[in-house]
Amino acid sequence: IVCTLGVFPSLTKLELPLHVPVTSAIVKAEALQSLRLYGPLQDDLMDLIGSGKLAHLEELFLSTCPSRVVASAAKACPLRAVGIPVDPPCAAKELAEIIQATGKRLESLSIPSRVQPLVGPDLGALLAEHCPNLSTLCINSEKVLTGNGVMKLMQSCLKLHTLELAYVQGHCVQPDSDLSRPVTPSMRRWLEISSCQFQSISESPMAHWLDGTLVEIKLER
């Protein structure tokens, strides 16, 4: 695979399923903008990703990698889309660092089920404070989102058009207090809620998505 990739020095996107740990030799193109690797990485490749030498990298999805590597890349590269690694579980501190470092650049964030609970502000509050241009958010963990966080997210991230929630519990999407101001629904178009538990969706912040602008909704179990 290393020899094959070497034929394409102008490659801008690389997505690979990996069955054995790979080295930095697979990254031949300095112009790489999107890197998605699903499998184990060797230390030299993780060092390269976190070093900032991939100066054009805007999308980073790694399934098996310490979250500190992604946090380093978020500080050193112009990342716009980030997938938090599944294994090992992302530390709360490093998840917060990734959000703060990407800041206004961040447009897409995917969080797996294996992530440590945040201490202090929850995910919604952090994103609302630092990431006003967020447009896509996928959450597969019940540990990072509260009702107040959902409300802050909807109030501040007005470009958000895709929200996917899986395995969040009812208390996480029920409002902890009333909305301080109406949510502008003009940019909200797509919502997927799978394997979630709601006592009443009509009384939760999700109800603000259920209006004439919504074009697709998916409810499972």
Side-chain angles (χ1 to χ4, degrees):
I1 189 172
V2 172
C3 295
T4 301
L5 292 174
V7 178
F8 308 105
S10 299
L11 197 68
T12 60
K13 182 175 181 178
L14 179 60
E15 182 171 355
L16 295 173
L18 304 172
H19 303 290
V20 296
V22 294
T23 72
S24 59
I26 68 166
V27 181
K28 295 291 187 179
E30 294 182 358
L32 199 64
Q33 297 176 8
S34 176
L35 182 62
R36 295 171 180 253
L37 301 177
Y38 307 106
L41 314 178
Q42 290 196 15
D43 289 345
D44 65 324
L45 178 53
M46 290 189 286
D47 290 343
L48 174 64
I49 293 170
S51 69
K53 292 181 180 179
L54 299 176
H56 302 284
L57 193 63
E58 296 182 349
E59 296 184 355
L60 182 61
F61 287 73
L62 305 174
S63 68
T64 308
C65 176
S67 51
R68 59 175 171 76
V69 175
V70 181
S72 295
K75 297 171 184 176
C77 302
L79 295 183
R80 295 185 299 105
V82 176
I84 303 300
V86 177
D87 187 36
C90 181
K93 176 184 176 182
E94 287 158 355
L95 177 57
E97 287 179 359
I98 292 167
I99 292 171
Q100 292 166 352
T102 50
K104 294 180 179 180
R105 298 192 314 270
L106 190 63
E107 298 174 4
S108 175
L109 179 65
S110 178
I111 298 178
S113 58
R114 300 185 65 196
V115 59
Q116 296 180 7
L118 291 171
V119 178
D122 79 342
L123 179 71
L126 275 174
L127 290 171
E129 179 181 358
H130 296 284
C131 307
N133 294 313
L134 187 71
S135 61
T136 300
L137 177 62
C138 305
I139 301 177
N140 293 282
S141 173
E142 75 280 9
K143 302 175 181 179
V144 295
L145 196 61
T146 65
N148 278 332
V150 170
M151 289 187 288
K152 290 178 181 179
L153 183 68
M154 288 183 168
Q155 289 173 332
S156 300
C157 299
L158 298 182
K159 295 183 179 180
L160 188 66
H161 62 70
T162 298
L163 176 64
E164 297 181 16
L165 302 177
Y167 301 102
V168 298
Q169 303 301 309
H171 70 276
C172 293
V173 290
Q174 299 292 335
D176 298 326
S177 60
D178 293 334
L179 285 167
S180 59
R181 62 183 177 87
V183 174
T184 303
S186 59
M187 296 299 293
R188 318 213 191 287
R189 293 292 182 272
W190 197 91
L191 168 66
E192 176 177 329
I193 304 174
S194 60
S195 302
C196 295
Q197 298 178 12
F198 298 96
Q199 292 182 355
S200 173
I201 191 172
S202 64
E203 296 177 359
S204 80
M206 299 299 106
H208 291 274
W209 293 68
L210 304 179
D211 56 24
T213 65
L214 193 68
V215 296
E216 181 174 346
I217 184 168
K218 179 180 179 181
L219 298 176
E220 295 184 354
R221 291 187 287 180

